PDB file of all heavy atoms in Angstrom:
ATOM      1  N   ILE D  77     -22.943   6.085   7.667  1.00  0.00           N
ATOM      2  CA  ILE D  77     -21.903   5.631   8.605  1.00  0.00           C
ATOM      3  C   ILE D  77     -22.539   5.106   9.889  1.00  0.00           C
ATOM      4  O   ILE D  77     -22.128   4.085  10.440  1.00  0.00           O
ATOM      5  CB  ILE D  77     -20.922   6.784   8.904  1.00  0.00           C
ATOM      6  CG1 ILE D  77     -20.135   7.122   7.626  1.00  0.00           C
ATOM      7  CG2 ILE D  77     -19.961   6.433  10.027  1.00  0.00           C
ATOM      8  CD1 ILE D  77     -19.393   8.417   7.691  1.00  0.00           C
ATOM      9  N   GLU D  83     -24.563  -1.903  12.146  1.00  0.00           N
ATOM     10  CA  GLU D  83     -24.393  -3.209  11.482  1.00  0.00           C
ATOM     11  C   GLU D  83     -23.137  -3.923  11.985  1.00  0.00           C
ATOM     12  O   GLU D  83     -23.121  -5.144  12.149  1.00  0.00           O
ATOM     13  CB  GLU D  83     -24.306  -2.994   9.970  1.00  0.00           C
ATOM     14  CG  GLU D  83     -24.385  -4.283   9.176  1.00  0.00           C
ATOM     15  CD  GLU D  83     -24.199  -4.043   7.686  1.00  0.00           C
ATOM     16  OE1 GLU D  83     -24.734  -3.050   7.171  1.00  0.00           O
ATOM     17  OE2 GLU D  83     -23.500  -4.855   7.052  1.00  0.00           O
ATOM     18  N   LEU D 197       9.795 -14.192  -6.898  1.00  0.00           N
ATOM     19  CA  LEU D 197      10.237 -14.833  -8.136  1.00  0.00           C
ATOM     20  C   LEU D 197      10.534 -13.773  -9.189  1.00  0.00           C
ATOM     21  O   LEU D 197       9.984 -12.667  -9.141  1.00  0.00           O
ATOM     22  CB  LEU D 197       9.145 -15.762  -8.682  1.00  0.00           C
ATOM     23  CG  LEU D 197       8.926 -17.105  -7.986  1.00  0.00           C
ATOM     24  CD1 LEU D 197       7.727 -17.812  -8.616  1.00  0.00           C
ATOM     25  CD2 LEU D 197      10.149 -18.005  -8.057  1.00  0.00           C
ATOM     26  N   ARG D 203       4.860 -18.828 -11.436  1.00  0.00           N
ATOM     27  CA  ARG D 203       4.617 -19.257 -10.054  1.00  0.00           C
ATOM     28  C   ARG D 203       4.009 -20.656 -10.067  1.00  0.00           C
ATOM     29  O   ARG D 203       3.067 -20.908 -10.833  1.00  0.00           O
ATOM     30  CB  ARG D 203       3.651 -18.271  -9.401  1.00  0.00           C
ATOM     31  CG  ARG D 203       3.547 -18.380  -7.897  1.00  0.00           C
ATOM     32  CD  ARG D 203       3.027 -17.077  -7.315  1.00  0.00           C
ATOM     33  NE  ARG D 203       1.757 -16.673  -7.881  1.00  0.00           N
ATOM     34  CZ  ARG D 203       0.582 -16.911  -7.292  1.00  0.00           C
ATOM     35  NH1 ARG D 203       0.529 -17.552  -6.149  1.00  0.00           N
ATOM     36  NH2 ARG D 203      -0.540 -16.501  -7.839  1.00  0.00           N
ATOM     37  N   LEU D 217       7.418 -29.571  -5.310  1.00  0.00           N
ATOM     38  CA  LEU D 217       6.281 -30.464  -5.599  1.00  0.00           C
ATOM     39  C   LEU D 217       5.868 -30.370  -7.064  1.00  0.00           C
ATOM     40  O   LEU D 217       5.424 -31.347  -7.664  1.00  0.00           O
ATOM     41  CB  LEU D 217       5.085 -30.102  -4.706  1.00  0.00           C
ATOM     42  CG  LEU D 217       5.222 -30.429  -3.214  1.00  0.00           C
ATOM     43  CD1 LEU D 217       4.033 -29.891  -2.440  1.00  0.00           C
ATOM     44  CD2 LEU D 217       5.361 -31.939  -2.995  1.00  0.00           C
ATOM     45  N   ASN D 318       3.861  -7.420   5.275  1.00  0.00           N
ATOM     46  CA  ASN D 318       3.400  -6.525   4.223  1.00  0.00           C
ATOM     47  C   ASN D 318       1.910  -6.217   4.408  1.00  0.00           C
ATOM     48  O   ASN D 318       1.468  -5.071   4.310  1.00  0.00           O
ATOM     49  CB  ASN D 318       3.638  -7.228   2.876  1.00  0.00           C
ATOM     50  CG  ASN D 318       3.808  -6.264   1.739  1.00  0.00           C
ATOM     51  OD1 ASN D 318       3.190  -5.215   1.738  1.00  0.00           O
ATOM     52  ND2 ASN D 318       4.633  -6.611   0.773  1.00  0.00           N
TER      53      ASN D 318
ATOM     54  N   THR A  12       6.522 -35.853  -6.949  1.00  0.00           N
ATOM     55  CA  THR A  12       7.546 -35.545  -7.940  1.00  0.00           C
ATOM     56  C   THR A  12       8.838 -36.265  -7.615  1.00  0.00           C
ATOM     57  O   THR A  12       9.263 -36.318  -6.463  1.00  0.00           O
ATOM     58  CB  THR A  12       7.814 -34.039  -7.941  1.00  0.00           C
ATOM     59  OG1 THR A  12       6.587 -33.375  -8.128  1.00  0.00           O
ATOM     60  CG2 THR A  12       8.770 -33.663  -9.049  1.00  0.00           C
ATOM     61  N   LYS A 138     -22.255  -4.387  -0.928  1.00  0.00           N
ATOM     62  CA  LYS A 138     -21.551  -3.177  -0.491  1.00  0.00           C
ATOM     63  C   LYS A 138     -20.505  -2.821  -1.537  1.00  0.00           C
ATOM     64  O   LYS A 138     -19.437  -3.412  -1.604  1.00  0.00           O
ATOM     65  CB  LYS A 138     -20.889  -3.410   0.862  1.00  0.00           C
ATOM     66  CG  LYS A 138     -21.882  -3.519   1.992  1.00  0.00           C
ATOM     67  CD  LYS A 138     -21.190  -3.497   3.338  1.00  0.00           C
ATOM     68  CE  LYS A 138     -22.214  -3.556   4.444  1.00  0.00           C
ATOM     69  NZ  LYS A 138     -22.894  -4.861   4.514  1.00  0.00           N
ATOM     70  N   ASP A 209      -2.068 -14.031 -13.622  1.00  0.00           N
ATOM     71  CA  ASP A 209      -1.526 -14.424 -12.317  1.00  0.00           C
ATOM     72  C   ASP A 209      -1.607 -13.226 -11.388  1.00  0.00           C
ATOM     73  O   ASP A 209      -1.347 -12.099 -11.800  1.00  0.00           O
ATOM     74  CB  ASP A 209      -0.070 -14.896 -12.443  1.00  0.00           C
ATOM     75  CG  ASP A 209       0.438 -15.532 -11.146  1.00  0.00           C
ATOM     76  OD1 ASP A 209      -0.402 -16.034 -10.370  1.00  0.00           O
ATOM     77  OD2 ASP A 209       1.652 -15.515 -10.904  1.00  0.00           O
ATOM     78  N   ARG A 215       2.678  -9.316  -6.955  1.00  0.00           N
ATOM     79  CA  ARG A 215       2.830  -9.311  -8.414  1.00  0.00           C
ATOM     80  C   ARG A 215       1.522  -9.622  -9.121  1.00  0.00           C
ATOM     81  O   ARG A 215       0.703 -10.395  -8.640  1.00  0.00           O
ATOM     82  CB  ARG A 215       3.871 -10.367  -8.806  1.00  0.00           C
ATOM     83  CG  ARG A 215       4.008 -10.570 -10.295  1.00  0.00           C
ATOM     84  CD  ARG A 215       5.224 -11.373 -10.624  1.00  0.00           C
ATOM     85  NE  ARG A 215       6.427 -10.632 -10.271  1.00  0.00           N
ATOM     86  CZ  ARG A 215       7.647 -11.168 -10.211  1.00  0.00           C
ATOM     87  NH1 ARG A 215       7.809 -12.435 -10.462  1.00  0.00           N
ATOM     88  NH2 ARG A 215       8.680 -10.422  -9.888  1.00  0.00           N
ATOM     89  N   LYS A 240       6.098  -1.108  -2.535  1.00  0.00           N
ATOM     90  CA  LYS A 240       5.549   0.027  -1.790  1.00  0.00           C
ATOM     91  C   LYS A 240       6.618   1.019  -1.361  1.00  0.00           C
ATOM     92  O   LYS A 240       6.328   2.193  -1.161  1.00  0.00           O
ATOM     93  CB  LYS A 240       4.789  -0.496  -0.567  1.00  0.00           C
ATOM     94  CG  LYS A 240       3.549  -1.259  -0.973  1.00  0.00           C
ATOM     95  CD  LYS A 240       2.922  -1.975   0.171  1.00  0.00           C
ATOM     96  CE  LYS A 240       1.815  -2.881  -0.360  1.00  0.00           C
ATOM     97  NZ  LYS A 240       1.332  -3.815   0.641  1.00  0.00           N
ATOM     98  N   ARG A 411     -14.361  14.472   8.951  1.00  0.00           N
ATOM     99  CA  ARG A 411     -15.771  14.105   9.097  1.00  0.00           C
ATOM    100  C   ARG A 411     -16.330  14.620  10.431  1.00  0.00           C
ATOM    101  O   ARG A 411     -17.447  15.090  10.502  1.00  0.00           O
ATOM    102  CB  ARG A 411     -15.912  12.585   9.032  1.00  0.00           C
ATOM    103  CG  ARG A 411     -17.284  12.087   8.739  1.00  0.00           C
ATOM    104  CD  ARG A 411     -17.306  10.576   8.791  1.00  0.00           C
ATOM    105  NE  ARG A 411     -16.538   9.948   7.728  1.00  0.00           N
ATOM    106  CZ  ARG A 411     -16.995   9.783   6.491  1.00  0.00           C
ATOM    107  NH1 ARG A 411     -18.181  10.206   6.173  1.00  0.00           N
ATOM    108  NH2 ARG A 411     -16.250   9.193   5.592  1.00  0.00           N
TER     109      ARG A 411
END
Side-chain angles (χ1 to χ4, degrees):
Chain D
I77 293 166
E83 191 184 320
L197 285 175
R203 194 158 56 98
L217 290 174
N318 206 326
Chain A
T12 306
K138 289 190 178 69
D209 190 25
R215 173 168 294 167
K240 293 170 189 168
R411 198 184 293 279

